[in-house]
């Protein structure tokens, strides 16, 4: 542990900042993975089963398989199936796109902080080199 602190002290304040940004980045990545898991981003079995029912010509079974599932895929597919059955094709496409954009916005939350860190960290490294 003292070797790590000695190394950081030799690197100067820029290395301390980069270390802090690395810790924050790791925390954000773990938080994002946890959040996507809660949103059901990787759950696909029910959605695939619903699509199979839909392709076999049984839309009622397809929609009932999705039921009240709250996963990202399930919500988008359920919206597409429901809209296709109840709206004209162009309106159904717009409704599906609206729901998909909402799901993407929900899934993409928190990525701005990672983008900011990815922009700042190289500049801090360059500053450390200059110092």
């Amino acid at each position: 542990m003292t070797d790590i602190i000695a190394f950081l002290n030799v690197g100067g304040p820029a290395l301390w900042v980069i270390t802090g940004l690395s810790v924050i980045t790791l925390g954000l990545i773990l938080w994002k993975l946890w959040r996507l898991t809660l949103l059901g981003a990787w759950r696909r079995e029910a959605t695939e089963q619903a699509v199979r029912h839909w392709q076999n010509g049984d839309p009622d079974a397809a929609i009932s398989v999705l039921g009240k599932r709250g996963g990202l895929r399930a919500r988008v597919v359920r919206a597409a199936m429901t809209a296709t059955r109840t709206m004209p094709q162009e309106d159904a496409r717009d409704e599906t796109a609206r729901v998909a954009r909402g799901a993407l916005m929900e899934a993409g939350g928190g990525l701005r902080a990672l983008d900011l860190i990815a922009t700042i960290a190289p500049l801090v490294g360059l500053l450390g080199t200059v110092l």
Side-chain angles (χ1 to χ4, degrees):
M1 184 69 171
T2 57
D3 292 339
I4 294 172
I5 293 175
F7 174 74
L8 290 173
N9 284 333
V10 169
L15 196 54
W16 281 99
V17 171
I18 290 172
T19 302
L21 289 174
S22 298
V23 170
I24 292 170
T25 300
L26 180 62
L28 285 171
I29 290 170
L30 293 175
W31 170 79
K32 191 63 189 167
L33 287 172
W34 176 71
R35 185 77 180 119
L36 286 172
T37 301
L38 289 180
L39 289 173
W42 292 286
R43 287 186 234 142
R44 65 179 191 208
E45 295 83 18
T47 305
E48 289 174 351
Q49 183 181 6
V51 170
R52 279 193 300 276
H53 282 301
W54 185 268
Q55 290 172 337
N56 292 333
D58 192 1
D60 293 328
I63 292 173
S64 70
V65 164
L66 295 174
K68 299 288 184 194
R69 294 188 182 270
L72 295 173
R73 293 176 199 218
R75 283 187 293 174
V76 172
V77 171
R78 184 176 47 247
M81 290 177 177
T82 304
T84 300
R85 292 183 72 192
T86 60
M87 300 177 179
Q89 186 176 3
E90 189 64 33
D91 293 341
R93 185 177 296 128
D94 292 342
E95 175 64 14
T96 302
R98 184 189 67 78
V99 172
R101 274 193 302 274
L104 281 174
M105 292 285 288
E106 188 176 355
L111 294 179
R112 180 71 181 127
L114 287 173
D115 185 39
L116 184 63
I117 290 172
T119 302
I120 291 173
L123 298 174
V124 172
L126 183 61
L127 177 65
T129 301
V130 170
L131 289 177

